[in-house]
Amino acid sequence: MGNVLAAGSPSPAAGSPAAGPGLVSVPPGFTMPQVSPLSPPAEPSASEGRLPNPGPFEECHRKCKEVFPAPMDGVKLIVNKGLSNNFQVNHTVSLSTLGESNYHFGATYVGTKQLSPTEAFPVMVGDMDNSGSLNAQIIHQLTTKLRSKLAFQTQQSKFVNWQVDGEYRGEDFTAAVTLGNPDIIVGSGILVAHYLQSVTPALALGGELVYHRRPGEEGTVMSLAGRYTGSNWIATLTLGQAGAHATYYHKANDQLQVGVEFEASTRMQDTSVSFGYQLDLPKANLLFKGSLDSNWIVGATLEKKLLPLPLTLAMGALLNHKKNKFQCGFGLTIG
């Protein structure tokens, strides 16, 4: 919720990288350097009685979703090349049996405003495919607590979506506002507001308000969320007019993580339950993810780093027992 580009644009091709943390989402077929969330103030001692920052609302379900495998189809080759300490480019060739085969060229620029050993701003990300469609984003940290993002998307020569985001982090809360596709002449646009507040060191409560308007139509959708964080587990629940979304994440040990996700849609009159797990074998440079849902869809991905070569091999498969459909994919990343 809250990402207007994701809601208003076509779904990315299977096997596309997932969105980054917070305000940062990556165009399909693009590799982006890590942009860590806004650095919260140093946590005071418990004697001071202060609460921690809960992080952004959009990341409430992130830990559980990261356990599930991303679907893959066809063959994908990614070549990453760093041209300098601040500039990186990549080339992605995708050959698919379900969708269209395509080529993507991506570029990343990281500015010289160094905030920490792993953070520098501004960050500019761009991705263009062989048809001329463009995804671009600019992320900048204006102050130690305020971060902004400008993103736009085109399909060939036409603008499709654009949005402006702002995120503010206090000591024990996070507030964010997103304005998408505003048109003053027509009188249309989407406004999304998020707020997440720490109630106790383990419990955070918040809400989301989505307002949309276009000629002949106007509406508001509201949802509430709660997240409880244990020593090695996280439980999250989101309730709203559109339905319910609940996730449970558990870290069994350094190698094994599991997640359970429940989704109920009032509009589609449908519910689903999914179970996923992630097995990490660092000594073998191997990462395995698997999933099974109530629709009898089984998925799995295997990622292997071929050290000392700068190569990463990825394989994935998805089997839908009800529809008797099977898809698989193979990927190779260089650099």
Side-chain angles (χ1 to χ4, degrees):
M1 303 179 186
N3 193 322
V4 179
L5 293 186
S9 60
S11 301
S16 299
L23 297 178
V24 184
S25 56
V26 183
F30 188 73
T31 302
M32 180 178 171
Q34 180 180 1
V35 180
S36 57
L38 283 170
S39 302
E43 292 189 14
S45 60
S47 60
E48 297 183 25
R50 295 185 182 179
L51 298 175
N53 183 280
F57 183 92
E58 289 185 335
E59 293 188 10
C60 284
H61 298 278
R62 180 176 62 89
K63 290 295 290 184
C64 179
K65 286 184 173 294
E66 287 179 345
V67 171
F68 289 81
M72 297 181 64
D73 171 63
V75 179
K76 176 176 288 188
L77 173 65
I78 302 175
V79 180
N80 298 316
K81 176 65 176 178
L83 302 181
S84 68
N85 292 333
N86 304 93
F87 194 64
Q88 170 191 315
V89 298
N90 69 51
H91 307 269
T92 303
V93 178
S94 301
L95 304 177
S96 174
T97 57
L98 298 178
E100 293 185 359
S101 300
N102 54 63
Y103 163 77
H104 284 261
F105 172 77
T108 302
Y109 172 78
V110 180
T112 57
K113 184 181 178 181
Q114 193 82 24
L115 300 182
S116 72
T118 59
E119 279 189 310
F121 290 91
V123 177
M124 290 182 282
V125 183
D127 172 82
M128 178 175 286
D129 64 16
N130 53 289
S131 68
S133 298
L134 174 68
N135 289 274
Q137 301 179 48
I138 301 176
I139 305 106
H140 190 49
Q141 189 155 325
L142 304 177
T143 68
T144 56
K145 296 184 178 181
L146 181 62
R147 177 176 294 178
S148 65
K149 184 189 78 171
L150 173 64
F152 63 89
Q153 182 183 58
T154 69
Q155 286 186 352
Q156 297 180 358
S157 60
K158 296 181 180 180
F159 273 92
V160 179
N161 294 302
W162 72 281
Q163 72 177 57
V164 180
D165 296 26
E167 181 183 275
Y168 180 84
R169 291 203 180 190
E171 291 185 356
D172 60 358
F173 73 92
T174 300
V177 177
T178 299
L179 179 62
N181 296 336
D183 192 326
I184 300 177
I185 300 177
V186 178
S188 64
I190 300 175
L191 179 66
V192 183
H194 291 151
Y195 184 82
L196 193 62
Q197 171 75 54
S198 290
V199 181
T200 70
L203 179 64
L205 299 176
E208 176 187 62
L209 180 66
V210 181
Y211 171 79
H212 64 92
R213 179 178 180 179
R214 60 183 180 183
E217 183 179 343
E218 185 176 11
T220 303
V221 179
M222 184 178 180
S223 61
L224 302 175
R227 183 188 66 205
Y228 189 89
T229 304
S231 57
N232 62 343
W233 58 274
I234 301 173
T236 308
L237 174 64
T238 302
L239 291 173
Q241 298 166 262
H245 185 198
T247 57
Y248 175 79
Y249 164 83
H250 188 94
K251 184 176 182 179
N253 50 50
D254 291 338
Q255 287 77 41
L256 181 62
Q257 304 173 59
V258 298
V260 180
E261 183 175 28
F262 169 81
E263 290 183 288
S265 173
T266 55
R267 183 174 63 89
M268 301 296 294
Q269 296 294 308
D270 183 46
T271 61
S272 65
V273 179
S274 305
F275 169 78
Y277 65 94
Q278 174 179 306
L279 182 62
D280 188 7
L281 302 175
K283 291 185 178 180
N285 299 310
L286 190 67
L287 180 66
F288 181 82
K289 295 182 179 182
S291 66
L292 171 66
D293 67 16
S294 55
N295 295 316
W296 295 106
I297 299 176
V298 182
T301 58
L302 176 66
E303 185 177 301
K304 169 73 173 177
K305 294 183 178 179
L306 306 177
L307 299 178
L309 300 175
L311 301 176
T312 301
L313 176 67
M315 295 179 289
L318 187 70
L319 176 60
N320 189 327
H321 287 83
K322 283 188 175 182
K323 297 183 179 180
N324 196 26
K325 291 185 178 180
F326 174 78
Q327 70 180 65
C328 63
F330 172 85
L332 180 65
T333 302
I334 303 174

